[in-house]
Amino acid sequence: MDKVQNNKAWFLVLPVLVLVAFSAVIPLMTVVNYSVQDTFGNNVFFWEGLGWFQEVLTSERVHAALGRQLAFSGIILAIQIPLGIAIAICMPKRGFWASVCLVLMALPLLIPWNVVGTIWQILGRTDIGLVGYALDKVGISWNYARNPVHAWVTVVIMDVWHWTSLVALLAYAGLQSIPQAYYQAAKIDQASRWKVFRYIELPKMQGVLLIAILLRFMDSFMIYTEPFVVTGGGPGSATSFLSIDLVKMALGQFDLGPAAAFSIMYFLVILLVSWVFYTVMTNLDKAEGR
Amino acid sequence: MNLNWMAWTQPTAIFFIVIACLLLIFTVLALKFPETPRRGILTIETTRGDRLFITLLGSAFINAGWLALSGLPQWWALGICALYAAAVFRWV
């Protein structure tokens, strides 16, 4: 059945548009204005042209931060997506234990970012933290404040602990929506467990997994609070991801012009990635709907 | 209304006015001449609005790339963007 088109429905979106104008569009316009000027405070600005963009685009510091950011997002996606699927498959499908699992899985998602950072900052300490103390006792001198590898491992494990549940819950929802008839057909054909996963579960979870990848990518690409609380972007700049570097530039150094140019490039990358994911998802829906 | 805090400049104001006019023109076009989405070389369904978005986003990256790599006047990048826009509206 064809959908009825009524353009008057657009007026219902008007309140959201007004809200977005104040919360996003006007601040973004201000950032664009800042990006072509220089300021020393007191609301006095000097024309700079495209100089800040050139500086940011050719800056080794920004390139390094982008590299670290992509590496971080890549690593956490490579861990969280398979792990989330595995957990979802292992979770009970119904009954008391299904509810217990769901509540337990949802717990890390409810904890605020800065609390997660503090938890892992304490856990990793060798004097009062369980993980740091245990590692120290087995001969690994754990120090995320001095050793870049330790800092990375801590930040990655923290993110995996915090967000794998989200992937697991989404994958679980995807699994629950598969009709029993598919499994019965697979049983009749004597399909192996792997084949059931590969040809039934994985294709049926495709939609939710894409959403999970999009959410996790975007969130990890913007990560700030957790690594800031644990490592402060250090040691050196080993865990200075894009947003941490951006805040250092904007608030630490008060370089508002370069920071604004940096934000716009950051925004464009996020916009591009979101558009690619959105396009893939909507086309997938249309392909399934046909 | 005092807009000093937004640090407006003439070039950025022109930039946003152009974008706003483009959005307005495409909204009016969509209302006056409704169209069905089509599939082009990207094999995705696109409407005129989608093609405008692809053009604007691509133009931003063309300008950034030009600024970072070429060292030549930025106006030339605008020329490339115009060619890119024509290509997007013709084939995407």
Side-chain angles (χ1 to χ4, degrees):
Chain A
M1 197 182 85
D2 284 334
K3 282 181 189 164
V4 180
Q5 284 282 347
N6 185 351
N7 282 322
K8 281 191 184 120
W10 284 105
F11 286 110
L12 297 174
V13 191
L14 216 57
V16 175
L17 281 180
V18 173
L19 268 180
V20 170
F22 276 97
S23 69
V25 178
I26 290 174
L28 192 67
M29 283 174 158
T30 313
V31 170
V32 172
N33 292 341
Y34 276 26
S35 71
V36 290
Q37 299 177 84
D38 197 6
T39 182
F40 302 103
N42 281 337
N43 224 11
V44 180
F45 292 88
F46 305 93
W47 177 252
E48 180 63 36
L50 293 172
W52 297 135
F53 283 95
Q54 197 150 28
E55 190 181 299
V56 165
L57 286 166
T58 53
S59 151
E60 279 182 19
R61 172 184 163 176
V62 175
H63 290 175
L66 179 66
R68 283 191 291 271
Q69 185 68 69
L70 289 172
F72 177 74
S73 294
I75 291 170
I76 64 111
L77 279 179
I79 299 173
Q80 290 179 5
I81 301 297
L83 189 61
I85 296 171
I87 293 172
I89 288 174
C90 294
M91 276 165 70
K93 297 285 173 284
R94 59 188 67 82
F96 172 73
W97 290 108
S99 314
V100 171
C101 279
L102 283 175
V103 171
L104 283 178
M105 296 301 291
L107 273 181
L109 303 175
L110 300 173
I111 302 176
W113 286 262
N114 50 351
V115 178
V116 173
T118 314
I119 290 173
W120 283 88
Q121 192 203 31
I122 294 170
L123 270 179
R125 280 175 60 166
T126 47
D127 52 351
I128 54 168
L130 192 64
V131 175
Y133 185 80
L135 286 171
D136 203 40
K137 285 293 162 198
V138 294
I140 302 166
S141 152
W142 195 254
N143 193 335
Y144 56 76
R146 285 224 192 114
N147 187 326
V149 176
H150 293 180
W152 265 82
V153 171
T154 309
V155 171
V156 166
I157 292 179
M158 174 176 64
D159 200 78
V160 168
W161 177 84
H162 196 182
W163 291 110
T164 304
S165 312
L166 178 75
V167 181
L169 291 176
L170 282 169
Y172 186 73
L175 280 175
Q176 293 288 65
S177 67
I178 303 173
Q180 275 301 316
Y182 284 87
Y183 292 107
Q184 284 159 4
K187 214 170 187 177
I188 290 166
D189 290 343
Q190 291 187 322
S192 63
R193 181 69 190 88
W194 166 252
K195 286 203 164 150
V196 169
F197 172 71
R198 172 68 188 80
Y199 295 105
I200 296 175
E201 292 176 335
L202 203 56
K204 286 280 163 195
M205 281 196 290
Q206 206 176 16
V208 283
L209 285 181
L210 262 171
I211 294 171
I213 293 172
L214 173 66
L215 287 176
R216 286 313 305 132
F217 178 81
M218 300 314 295
D219 213 40
S220 65
F221 209 73
M222 306 188 301
I223 193 166
Y224 176 76
T225 317
E226 293 146 297
F228 180 75
V229 172
V230 177
T231 63
S237 53
T239 52
S240 284
F241 302 123
L242 282 176
S243 56
I244 293 183
D245 211 35
L246 179 59
V247 172
K248 272 186 196 169
M249 197 185 270
L251 301 180
Q253 300 158 220
F254 202 68
D255 282 337
L256 291 185
F262 189 169
S263 317
I264 290 167
M265 294 316 301
Y266 196 175
F267 171 69
L268 285 176
V269 172
I270 289 184
L271 201 58
L272 177 69
V273 175
S274 306
W275 178 76
V276 169
F277 273 109
Y278 174 76
T279 310
V280 170
M281 270 196 298
T282 45
N283 275 278
L284 203 72
D285 286 348
K286 279 174 193 159
E288 275 178 2
R290 263 205 305 273
Chain B
M1 193 163 58
N2 188 350
L3 287 178
N4 280 345
W5 65 273
M6 283 182 80
W8 279 105
T9 65
Q10 201 183 33
T12 50
I14 293 171
F15 171 75
F16 281 115
I17 289 169
V18 169
I19 302 250
C21 288
L22 278 174
L23 290 178
L24 203 68
I25 290 168
F26 275 76
T27 309
V28 172
L29 277 178
L31 288 172
K32 291 267 175 202
F33 310 102
E35 52 157 1
T36 46
R38 70 163 198 224
R39 277 172 198 273
I41 50 166
L42 288 181
T43 68
I44 53 169
E45 277 192 356
T46 54
T47 59
R48 275 187 296 251
D50 293 326
R51 293 194 281 279
L52 176 68
F53 178 77
I54 296 169
T55 302
L56 290 177
L57 189 59
S59 300
F61 280 100
I62 290 171
N63 271 292
W66 188 266
L67 190 65
L69 303 171
S70 77
L72 295 167
Q74 199 62 25
W75 291 109
W76 297 17
L78 201 62
I80 297 176
C81 289
L83 290 176
Y84 169 72
V88 167
F89 275 89
R90 174 68 188 81
W91 287 299
V92 170

